Amino acid sequence: MKTIQVNTGRPYQIQIGNGLLGQAPALIAQVYGERRPRLAVITDDTVDRLYGDRLLSLLEEAGYPVCKFVFPHGEQSKTLQTVHAVYGFLSENGITRSDVVVALGGGVVGDLAGFAAATWLRSIDFIQIPTTFLSMIDSSVGGKTGVDIPQGKNLVGAFWQPSLVICDPLALDTLPDIYFADGIAEAVKYGAILDASLFRLFEEGRLREQLTEVIARCIDLKRYVVEQDERDKGLRQQLNFGHTFGHAIEKQAGFTITHGQGVAIGMVLISRACERAGLTPSGTADRIQACLQQYGLPTSTDYPLGLLCQNAMGDKKRSGSQIALVVLQQLGQATLHPVSTDRLLAFMTGESDG
Ligand code: GLY
């Protein structure tokens, strides 16, 4: 088992290791000692079928009073309406400030359950048990919680750090390839912006063979970023590499493509534009593209850049009339490059130096 300590405003540990789901009660007891808080497990129907009963039995056997809320899987459930249903469930089950929400599932479950925990009784503890590659290396770490509203993804939320993250790579055995690839895009992103040797490992196709190590390295990179910029005011924005256009493509496609697919295309698009602008060394976009393609991720889109730039205007990274693009100075090193929104299209098409 590997332990990563995250020293945010509310410090916590991330435990990583094969089979840790089975050790959840012992790991929770490391946080709460002899006390047995009521555990409100929140999950989706897919994950519930795979792990729900097992986790609840383990927790009950260890003496934890438990209750469970299950909602339909998928981004369409990540709404305030589902959060209202969770509040009803927490109320019915008498969940108090000394109790704990347990998010069992992928990014949608973690973000939604985390937001419910952040807001119920003005915040109660929550534990993340991520079951997808993406949620293990990204969304379960760093305390971003929230839901979508019709105006956009993740527009309502709160920073609320978990009290514990239990990461069991064996849970990925049941993950369909398309969702595994979702996480690969984010893993490649960490290499591209922060760690050239990690990027090379992905280029060499060694991700699967070193999976637990890769998960730990990605989490540690995120820890490093989040500890320095918990509230997303500067460095943390680098984690949005590829996301401005990734989100725009997801939105344009009506979310029929996955987040990872959008980010993969977005990383290549922005790197090509930055090469043209002389901000990124030439050849970088080709390397990113080749790396992503070997994991079955798309790297181009038919949507016109004008349309994507329009969509990008609604992006959270926009600040007034500027949008902060994440630019690679070289593989393994990124910086923020503000571009005024009225020049974004010209920047992307190479008709301007940005
Ligand atoms: N997923 C990006 C962040 O946590 O900041």
Side-chain angles (χ1 to χ4, degrees):
M1 179 171 87
K2 187 168 171 55
T3 301
I4 293 178
Q5 171 78 27
V6 186
N7 288 318
T8 39
R10 273 164 51 94
Y12 57 101
Q13 291 188 332
I14 301 169
Q15 309 288 5
I16 307 155
N18 285 334
L20 282 194
L21 200 59
Q23 291 175 43
L27 296 171
I28 294 171
Q30 281 179 15
V31 178
Y32 296 101
E34 296 293 301
R35 193 162 80 77
R36 290 288 178 268
R38 187 174 291 273
L39 302 178
V41 176
I42 299 178
T43 190
D44 68 31
D45 52 352
T46 306
V47 179
D48 183 44
R49 267 195 300 280
L50 293 166
Y51 304 111
D53 287 348
R54 185 172 152 225
L55 180 67
L56 256 76
S57 304
L58 284 167
L59 296 172
E60 271 167 348
E61 278 163 26
Y64 289 97
V66 287
C67 51
K68 183 176 71 173
F69 180 88
V70 183
F71 63 85
H73 68 276
E75 191 75 28
Q76 68 282 357
S77 284
K78 200 173 140 183
T79 61
L80 286 168
Q81 203 181 357
T82 311
V83 174
H84 280 144
V86 171
Y87 292 151
F89 155 81
L90 296 175
S91 170
E92 277 160 26
N93 286 280
I95 298 299
T96 68
R97 279 203 176 137
S98 56
D99 298 322
V100 180
V101 164
V102 177
L104 172 70
V108 169
V109 170
D111 284 9
L112 185 137
F115 182 65
T119 48
W120 178 246
L121 305 179
R122 297 202 176 91
S123 74
I124 66 170
D125 280 7
F126 86 113
I127 292 170
Q128 290 265 23
I129 307 184
T131 57
T132 63
F133 189 29
L134 182 80
S135 59
M136 287 183 190
I137 64 170
D138 184 12
S139 55
S140 68
V141 181
K144 277 191 182 174
T145 72
V147 293
D148 307 332
I149 56 172
Q151 289 77 3
K153 266 185 84 166
N154 297 327
L155 288 186
V156 174
F159 288 98
W160 185 235
Q161 300 294 339
S163 305
L164 169 70
V165 182
I166 300 172
C167 183
D168 180 353
L170 289 185
L172 301 180
D173 290 350
T174 51
L175 189 68
D177 284 349
I178 184 166
Y179 296 115
F180 190 77
D182 222 17
I184 294 177
E186 294 286 357
V188 169
K189 175 200 77 179
Y190 283 118
I193 62 172
L194 290 162
D195 186 341
S197 71
L198 185 66
F199 184 82
R200 276 194 296 277
L201 185 149
F202 298 142
E203 264 184 322
E204 290 160 9
R206 292 189 287 124
L207 187 151
R208 283 268 190 187
E209 84 195 36
Q210 296 189 25
L211 187 56
T212 302
E213 171 66 17
V214 163
I215 290 170
R217 279 179 75 172
C218 290
I219 290 176
D220 203 44
L221 288 167
K222 182 144 188 195
R223 173 206 58 77
Y224 163 80
V225 170
V226 168
E227 281 182 354
Q228 292 182 68
D229 180 22
E230 190 173 343
R231 291 272 167 163
D232 208 9
K233 302 277 188 219
L235 180 66
R236 188 166 181 171
Q237 292 176 23
Q238 290 189 12
L239 297 176
N240 292 324
F241 176 54
H243 282 55
T244 299
F245 286 91
H247 280 159
I249 294 164
E250 272 184 274
K251 191 170 166 201
Q252 194 58 41
F255 299 98
T256 53
I257 65 164
T258 68
H259 177 67
Q261 289 173 332
V263 169
I265 300 168
M267 288 192 287
V268 175
L269 278 184
I270 192 70
S271 299
R272 290 220 182 284
C274 290
E275 282 188 27
R276 276 194 297 270
L279 298 168
T280 295
S282 60
T284 307
D286 281 346
R287 279 180 71 185
I288 295 172
Q289 179 164 23
C291 179
L292 294 165
Q293 280 174 341
Q294 67 169 309
Y295 296 105
L297 284 158
T299 53
S300 63
T301 178
D302 290 335
Y303 293 124
L305 273 174
L307 194 60
L308 298 179
C309 286
Q310 261 173 24
N311 272 340
M313 297 305 163
D315 201 280
K316 286 193 299 307
K317 274 83 68 189
R318 193 179 118 180
S319 171
S321 61
Q322 295 219 307
I323 192 150
L325 298 176
V326 186
V327 166
L328 296 186
Q329 292 167 309
Q330 58 183 36
L331 275 165
Q333 194 181 333
T335 190
L336 296 179
H337 182 78
V339 171
S340 67
T341 46
D342 55 5
R343 295 177 72 193
L344 184 61
L345 180 58
F347 179 84
M348 290 306 292
T349 54
E351 287 153 27
S352 145
D353 63 5

